[in-house]
Amino acid sequence: MSKTKVLVVEDYLPLVETLEYQLKRAGYEVFRATDGREALKQAKLQLPDLIVLDVDLPILSGVEVCKQLRANPATQSCLIMMLSALGEESDQVVGFAMGADDYVLKPVESYKVLLQKIKALLRRREPAVDDAESVTQSGVTVDRRRFVATIDGEVLKLTKSEFRLLETLIRQPGRAFDRNELVEAALGEDTLVLERTIDVHIRALRKKMNDSADLIETVRGIGYRFREHDSSPTEVAVAENV
């Protein structure tokens, strides 16, 4: 059985060596890149399962690398975990909007936690076993088998996290999910993130849904739900600025 491939993209050598050691110890096959251009080259060559991507890179920034990886059919399905010392919400929004599946702050305080986050990300690649492969509500269709989401036939360019979040909501329209439920259902029960991370994903997802963004409703004091076909968006009290 082949090992899971992880590409580490980081220009700070001590961190690269530590990450490589920890990942190899956990059983992964590890490759390196120290700048944005080399990252794109290695990603196309190795087709890794996961890319641990620093934001502040020489030549091409991690944000630009992420954008190009998602635009290339050969690498668009790679999982991407961004590493950054920039912890503002706006920085995370940009990362997720460019296609990141997770966003981890530096310095890395616990490699045990980081490895668990990586494990949780990789679980998303496992086939889901559930009911219908495809579901449609209010013009939005989510096709699990093809991993495609569309609005009135137009394909949405979603990250894996955004896709699973949309799928979770659309399969039970009208049900209000709290943030913790969405972390478990859409991001994986082993995902070690703050519940507010869901807000970042929702914001990015709504932006990509354009005129259909109001189908995902904010439910005051609880979380989010996908609007039922016969309900009006004015019926929901949206108190959170998300």
Side-chain angles (χ1 to χ4, degrees), residues 37-81:
R37 183 179 301 160
E38 180 66 17
L40 292 173
K41 179 181 177 181
Q42 286 292 323
K44 294 174 186 176
L45 180 65
Q46 304 297 342
L47 296 178
D49 300 285
L50 171 69
I51 300 173
V52 180
L53 178 64
D54 184 27
V55 172
D56 187 16
L57 291 171
I59 304 180
L60 290 175
S61 72
V63 171
E64 179 60 28
V65 170
C66 185
K67 181 180 178 181
Q68 292 193 34
L69 289 171
R70 290 299 183 226
N72 188 330
T75 57
Q76 64 183 5
S77 65
C78 295
L79 292 167
I80 299 175
M81 173 184 283

Side-chain angles (χ1 to χ4, degrees), residues 136-141 149-155 212:
T136 299
Q137 298 285 347
S138 302
V140 181
T141 298
T150 62
I151 295 180
D152 296 327
E154 183 176 347
V155 176
S212 298

Side-chain angles (χ1 to χ4, degrees), residues 218-231:
T218 304
V219 183
R220 185 189 323 178
I222 299 176
Y224 301 96
R225 71 183 181 189
F226 194 91
R227 194 173 78 229
E228 290 183 279
H229 180 70
D230 59 351
S231 67

Side-chain angles (χ1 to χ4, degrees), residues 121-190:
L121 270 181
L122 290 167
R123 282 188 177 183
R124 302 184 198 177
R125 301 180 73 93
E126 298 175 2
V129 178
D130 202 354
D131 46 329
E133 296 287 352
S134 177
V135 61
T136 299
Q137 298 285 347
S138 302
V140 181
T141 298
V142 173
D143 188 328
R144 175 187 297 152
R145 182 178 59 82
R146 297 190 302 134
F147 205 86
V148 171
T150 62
I151 295 180
D152 296 327
E154 183 176 347
V155 176
L156 300 178
K157 295 182 179 179
L158 304 180
T159 66
K160 288 180 174 62
S161 298
E162 291 163 359
F163 181 89
R164 291 192 62 176
L165 184 57
L166 178 59
E167 182 189 21
T168 299
L169 292 167
I170 199 173
R171 285 186 178 277
Q172 298 187 61
R175 175 188 167 181
F177 289 83
D178 65 34
R179 290 179 176 83
N180 186 59
E181 287 178 312
L182 290 173
V183 168
E184 294 182 1
L187 304 183
E189 61 182 6
D190 294 329

Side-chain angles (χ1 to χ4, degrees), residues 185-208:
L187 304 183
E189 61 182 6
D190 294 329
T191 304
L192 301 175
V193 297
L194 297 175
E195 291 181 9
R196 296 295 295 184
T197 300
I198 288 294
D199 298 340
V200 177
H201 284 286
I202 288 287
R203 185 179 292 108
L205 177 57
R206 281 173 169 165
K207 184 176 181 180
K208 293 179 181 180

Side-chain angles (χ1 to χ4, degrees), residues 4-6 8 19 22-23 26 28 50-52 79 81 83 102 104 111-124 190-192:
T4 299
K5 295 181 179 181
V6 179
V8 176
L19 284 170
Q22 294 289 344
L23 288 164
Y28 300 109
L50 171 69
I51 300 173
V52 180
L79 292 167
M81 173 184 283
L83 289 178
D102 203 351
V104 177
Y111 287 97
K112 182 179 293 186
V113 171
L114 181 64
L115 288 172
Q116 285 299 315
K117 290 173 73 69
I118 288 173
K119 182 179 178 181
L121 270 181
L122 290 167
R123 282 188 177 183
R124 302 184 198 177
D190 294 329
T191 304
L192 301 175

